[in-house]
Amino acid sequence: MKNQNQKIVIIGAGLCGSLLALRMAQRGYQVQLIEKRPDLRDVTQDAGRSINLALSDRGLKALRLAGVEQDALKLCIPMLGRMIHDKEGNTFMSNYSGRENEYINSISRPGLNMLLLDAAEAMSNVEIIFNKGCTKVNLENGIATFKDYNTKDEITYSGDIILGTDGAGSVVRKAMFNDRNFLFSFSQNWLTHGYKEITIPAAKDGGYRTEKGALHIWPRGEDMLIALPNLDGSFTVTLFAPYSNSDYCFDNLTTPEMVMAYFKTEYPDAVTLMPNLVEEFFGNPTGPLGTIKCSPWSSFGKVCLLGDSAHAIVPFYGQGMNASFEDVVVFDEILNKHESKNNESNDWKKIFYAYEMARKKDTDAIADLAVDNFHEMKEHTASPLFQQKRKLEMAFESQFPTEYFSKYSLVTFNEDITYHAAMTLGRAQDKAILNLLDDGKLTDDMAVKEKLALVKKETAEALHDDEVVGNL
Amino acid sequence: MKNQNQKIVIIGAGLCGSLLALRMAQRGYQVQLIEKRPDLRDVTQDAGRSINLALSDRGLKALRLAGVEQDALKLCIPMLGRMIHDKEGNTFMSNYSGRENEYINSISRPGLNMLLLDAAEAMSNVEIIFNKGCTKVNLENGIATFKDYNTKDEITYSGDIILGTDGAGSVVRKAMFNDRNFLFSFSQNWLTHGYKEITIPAAKDGGYRTEKGALHIWPRGEDMLIALPNLDGSFTVTLFAPYSNSDYCFDNLTTPEMVMAYFKTEYPDAVTLMPNLVEEFFGNPTGPLGTIKCSPWSSFGKVCLLGDSAHAIVPFYGQGMNASFEDVVVFDEILNKHESKNNESNDWKKIFYAYEMARKKDTDAIADLAVDNFHEMKEHTASPLFQQKRKLEMAFESQFPTEYFSKYSLVTFNEDITYHAAMTLGRAQDKAILNLLDDGKLTDDMAVKEKLALVKKETAEALHDDEVVGNL
């Protein structure tokens, strides 16, 4: 079989690592997938870890490539739009798209991870090893050292290459950061906000206590609550709030009374659905929200980063997992182009370089879009100008479904457009619409078709103006 | 004397640390200034270190505040503009401003540093300690540990506060990075280019071998040469070139023949002025070019970063030293506002926070502008559209000197406008002019006054359009 003489060590068996192991095994490589945690199929989950995620078209495309899309869809709960909750408990629905069949899915992180581990394990050329934490990596030789958490022994694994899918706190990336022999660009940027998870349990009859088919948002300017449904009838609620320097922040929400007073004032309709609010608030950890970028992603043609280890992003576009899965698609395309035709060893240096050249501007783009969306969700979803814009975009998308795609649609439902292209066009459209609205140029007497033509014209001009500066 | 009961330890006696020590002593504090290198007044300089720098209005304002501007001006050589050298050795001058008296100055780094050390040392409340390198910092207690390079002993210094002015490789900043108790945002971004210094020696009669009153540039698209004059008749030349992946790059300029062939092809008029080219090329180190940003700049109200340790930038706007000196001006203004009125200890936590709030957006702005200018200098100074823009701006500035200030002028000669404001207005102006030129809307038959009015109108519209998006 092709590639069977080449061995790949993958460090980290989370979502990205498991899918990557499966796909590399399908391409014929000998794969060792090594994970520091115990096998999550055998143990109960950590409390307070993000247990559901948004899966959308880019992620689905990757799962399809590996032949596991249909199985994954069985775990999905479609969310058709944002359900906005105001301070009086009134709600209104803002669909994600004006087109039919464009929605995102709530999916269980451990459920999907187990599915991927099962699929990888079913391959004869995959070995999965748990309870071994990477402690250091010899980048030039492709040798990684691990600590066995059961025996406490030190053990090394080596391969033709090592792929680091060990997440935002990546040990593989730290080895690159600490290697002074090449210039490693790196950034970690933390929001001033942290997050805390709380549960809305299922109703007594096993049903949902609020609308199932939506991503719920309680936007409050500086802070917000969101909720995603789970298959068992519960919702996972996440509070996003500043750490400090605010009326309500983690630094001053220190007593049960203060927490209850805060939630009753700001989220009156939610508080009645969360019987264990106080207990969970003080029992669950407060997590930080960070963006990590770096370059180069590979060193010495021996080691390469994929997924969160290369580009961790904040969760506000629902694209973290989707972007990591899309890495596997892009890496696979690069292998189609550059994999050795005969059964010889690949030129991995060239492959890793081509992969980063093809991919990095897109992961940078989704990182920036995710931070933008943080502000949009907590502040703008409640603003009249933003709501006018969304209403107009819904009209464009429903009446001219092949002619207009909002930034959200471009990013979320158009997996054949890159994140960078989606960002560039989406931002220009937003700027055009907001300024046309602000200037009063989109009047009620105009037909939707006429409005669309004007928005397209303004968008093209905005893009051209930026191009002139960029192409100087 | 006010503040005499408070002790400040300043780590790093480079340009920023020396000026800061002087100014803090003038405010009455007890200052210990600690430097890892030997006293540069006693020893000869390292070869290959950047030995001259551009000093302009923001830096001069800081030197004026500390009473040393006039002494510094004696070390200055005015540079009125960029002298562009093409591949045939033709030159043309592009002034920095259309106004009289707007120019930048070439100044010796060690010369200015010595001047500042002398002035600080003349204060009775400053103690300067050399040959002690900081190895670690206890952030919560304000205690720093040093290694004495003479005795090899370990020694600690502590103060009411510690100010870290220990440059781009700051040990103080690394202590913050490694402290997991607070979320430290950090980025280091390297250009794909490095730099190498070479000398144009003085002529035999001690005069200058090329025009003294200019910053010389040989822009070649991917690579470039620049030269700044020194008081002794020599010029310090800097080659900026890619490390790799280019026809001419440091990775393949590996033999004297290749270096000579490269310089003769690309810089024929310069090569004749550099008799020691090959020797210096292989004798001097290749330096990296990086941007460093971080936040927060202070921790526990005990330790604060200033200068390059907080915000190292690439040298292409000639603002690195000026920005670090301006830090001292802003810090001084914050002390004027928040220093304790009685002779009590200051609330340093509040002071550091106010300083960062006032300053960070400006150091972020100049960091981004400096990277922009890298591309402008190596590529655009030679482009027709850019030259048309500069010509127009020169006409605006000379005919309407109080009405128009180019981005370069705003950044370099308008020390009472913040870097961030200069960037915002300057970029909008550039975008307006480039697009008006590109659209053919600035025609030869128009009066300069008319052109200026059109540029101002377009600039205002560009600013407004961005504001609508930003203020959503």
Side-chain angles (χ1 to χ4, degrees), chain B residues 41-106:
Chain B
R41 294 167 297 186
D42 302 337
V43 295
T44 45
Q45 278 303 293
D46 306 344
R49 280 206 80 203
S50 169
I51 63 166
N52 56 22
L53 295 163
L55 175 62
S56 53
D57 295 31
R58 292 174 198 270
L60 288 167
K61 180 179 178 181
L63 295 170
R64 198 178 314 138
L65 174 71
V68 291
E69 182 188 23
Q70 291 308 316
D71 288 337
L73 285 173
K74 290 175 197 149
L75 304 176
C76 286
I77 303 174
M79 298 183 288
L80 302 179
R82 296 165 169 170
M83 181 161 278
I84 315 285
H85 297 246
D86 72 15
K87 254 178 123 163
E88 283 70 48
N90 303 311
T91 61
F92 72 95
M93 184 79 172
S94 168
N95 279 5
Y96 283 121
S97 166
R99 276 172 292 274
E100 301 277 324
N101 295 319
E102 289 192 345
Y103 51 82
I104 63 177
N105 301 283
S106 178

Side-chain angles (χ1 to χ4, degrees), chain B residues 263-385:
Chain B
F263 274 82
K264 278 187 180 164
T265 309
E266 297 293 323
Y267 315 112
D269 61 329
V271 79
T272 62
L273 307 176
M274 301 186 290
N276 306 315
L277 170 58
V278 166
E279 190 190 330
E280 291 184 331
F281 190 92
F282 292 103
N284 289 342
T286 306
L289 296 159
T291 302
I292 288 172
K293 296 179 181 173
C294 65
S295 179
W297 285 343
S298 65
S299 55
F300 305 105
K302 273 290 181 186
V303 181
C304 187
L305 306 171
L306 288 97
D308 283 3
S309 67
H311 49 75
I313 65 179
V314 295
F316 304 102
Y317 227 108
Q319 287 293 318
M321 169 177 63
N322 292 291
S324 290
F325 282 175
E326 199 178 53
D327 282 3
V328 179
V329 175
V330 176
F331 193 67
D332 191 74
E333 284 166 0
I334 295 291
L335 286 174
N336 288 343
K337 251 187 247 173
H338 296 291
E339 212 172 47
S340 171
K341 299 298 170 213
N342 313 316
N343 216 344
E344 291 159 6
S345 191
N346 293 327
D347 181 348
W348 288 108
K349 194 168 188 171
K350 187 169 146 193
I351 288 169
F352 294 158
Y353 183 76
Y355 167 65
E356 184 172 344
M357 286 298 107
R359 184 63 175 153
K360 177 148 171 63
K361 70 179 187 324
D362 295 316
T363 57
D364 282 351
I366 192 59
D368 295 345
L369 286 166
V371 172
D372 290 352
N373 231 35
F374 169 55
H375 301 290
E376 178 170 320
M377 287 175 81
K378 71 186 171 57
E379 299 161 29
H380 305 159
T381 46
S383 100
L385 190 59

Side-chain angles (χ1 to χ4, degrees), chain A residues 174 177 180 183-191 193 243 245 288-289 295 353 376 379-380 383 385-386 389 430-432 434-435 438-439 458 462 464-466 468-472, chain B residues 174 177 180 183-191 193 243 245 288-289 295 353 376 379-380 383 385-386 389 430-432 434-435 438-439 458 462 464-466 468-472:
Chain A
K174 280 173 193 158
F177 185 91
R180 306 280 162 206
L183 297 172
F184 190 66
S185 292
F186 170 78
S187 69
Q188 58 183 34
N189 282 297
W190 304 101
L191 297 185
H193 288 56
Y243 278 103
N245 299 317
L289 296 159
S295 177
Y353 183 75
E376 177 170 320
E379 299 161 29
H380 304 160
S383 101
L385 190 59
F386 177 83
K389 177 171 90 73
D430 284 355
K431 187 171 177 177
L434 290 167
N435 275 288
D438 186 66
D439 294 347
E458 285 288 313
H464 174 79
D465 286 0
D466 286 338
V468 168
V469 176
N471 293 343
L472 184 64
Chain B
K174 281 173 193 159
F177 185 91
R180 306 278 164 208
L183 298 173
F184 189 66
S185 292
F186 169 77
S187 69
Q188 58 183 31
N189 281 297
W190 304 101
L191 297 184
H193 288 57
Y243 278 104
N245 299 319
L289 296 159
S295 179
Y353 183 76
E376 178 170 320
E379 299 161 29
H380 305 159
S383 100
L385 190 59
F386 178 83
K389 177 172 90 75
D430 285 354
K431 187 173 179 177
L434 290 168
N435 274 288
D438 185 67
D439 294 346
E458 285 288 313
H464 174 78
D465 286 358
D466 286 337
V468 169
V469 178
N471 291 346
L472 184 63

Side-chain angles (χ1 to χ4, degrees), chain B residues 405-418:
Chain B
F405 299 85
S406 72
K407 186 173 73 186
Y408 190 87
S409 279
L410 291 166
V411 169
T412 310
F413 306 122
N414 287 273
E415 67 275 20
D416 296 327
I417 295 170
T418 66

Side-chain angles (χ1 to χ4, degrees), chain A residues 353-375:
Chain A
Y353 183 75
Y355 168 64
E356 183 172 346
M357 286 300 106
R359 185 63 177 152
K360 178 150 170 63
K361 67 177 189 327
D362 295 315
T363 57
D364 283 351
I366 192 59
D368 296 346
L369 286 167
V371 172
D372 289 354
N373 231 37
F374 170 55
H375 301 290

Side-chain angles (χ1 to χ4, degrees), chain B residues 123-145:
Chain B
M123 304 286 296
S124 62
N125 51 344
V126 174
E127 180 191 4
I128 311 183
I129 299 158
F130 292 98
N131 288 308
K132 291 193 175 55
C134 185
T135 53
K136 61 184 178 196
V137 183
N138 182 322
L139 300 171
E140 279 196 74
N141 301 317
I143 301 169
T145 306

